[in-house]
Amino acid sequence: LTLIWSVISYFGLFDFGLGRSLTRELSIAMSKYDLSLQGRLVGTSFLLLFLLGLLGGASMAYLASWFVGHLKGVSDPQEVINAIRALSFAMPAILITTAAKGILESRQEFAMLNILRIPMGLFTFLGPLLTVMYIKPKLDTILITLVVGRIIGCLIHIWYSSRLMPIKKYPISIDRTLIKPLAFS
């Protein structure tokens, strides 16, 4: 479980800097009052992070058996495989959350980010505890709880960030020409 907590914490790194890049590019677009560019940046980054999350999650699910086969001393390999596969479903949500955080950071909503971070951090530890106490003390069940928590956290981040970027004011769209500036800035 400790290893999985670490993995979940570091999944945000697999956004390849797109969350930070979105913050930077949105801040620049805001300084120019370019509402169209802001919507295109958000749409493009959300799509890229969703696709990276799907790719990462699918890779993780596919390689779960191989990875567990190389671990020594695992008492129930199938339970660990199921846990890793459950975790793979969280990858898109974890990466999309970095884009939603990028929107909040570009709007300097640091207090809101901290308010959101506290319950998510608490849930990372209390979710497994409550799962063990009231549902089932199995690793895969605990991971399902954590995945559900991450997906809910992602949806809450999206909701808050969408309040700052209403779709009528900032039409969300995808712009292939923004991939390079987002990926390499």
Side-chain angles (χ1 to χ4, degrees), residues 76-151:
D76 187 351
Q78 191 58 49
E79 182 180 359
V80 178
I81 290 168
N82 292 343
I84 292 170
R85 287 184 177 153
L87 184 58
S88 70
F89 283 98
M91 281 292 287
I94 291 169
L95 295 185
I96 288 172
T97 301
T98 64
K101 285 179 182 178
I103 293 169
L104 293 168
E105 289 170 348
S106 72
R107 300 294 195 263
Q108 298 181 12
E109 291 288 336
F110 302 112
M112 179 53 63
L113 282 165
N114 287 329
I115 290 169
L116 294 172
R117 186 174 289 137
I118 292 168
M120 286 184 67
L122 287 171
F123 185 78
T124 299
F125 296 99
L126 294 177
L129 175 65
L130 295 173
T131 301
V132 167
M133 289 174 57
Y134 296 110
I135 300 175
K136 190 189 290 185
K138 293 185 61 86
L139 187 61
D140 48 2
T141 308
I142 293 168
L143 259 293
I144 291 169
T145 301
L146 288 172
V147 167
V148 169
R150 286 294 169 159
I151 291 170

Side-chain angles (χ1 to χ4, degrees), residues 49-59 91-92 95:
L49 288 167
F50 178 73
L51 293 174
L52 282 171
L54 283 179
L55 179 65
S59 299
M91 281 292 287
L95 295 185

Side-chain angles (χ1 to χ4, degrees), residues 4-21 49 52-53 60 87 90-99 101 150:
I4 289 170
W5 277 327
S6 298
V7 170
I8 289 173
S9 297
Y10 287 106
F11 270 168
L13 296 175
F14 293 109
D15 78 335
F16 298 107
L18 286 171
R20 295 284 177 214
S21 185
L49 288 167
L52 282 171
M60 182 184 295
L87 184 58
M91 281 292 287
I94 291 169
L95 295 185
I96 288 172
T97 301
T98 64
K101 285 179 182 178
R150 286 294 169 159

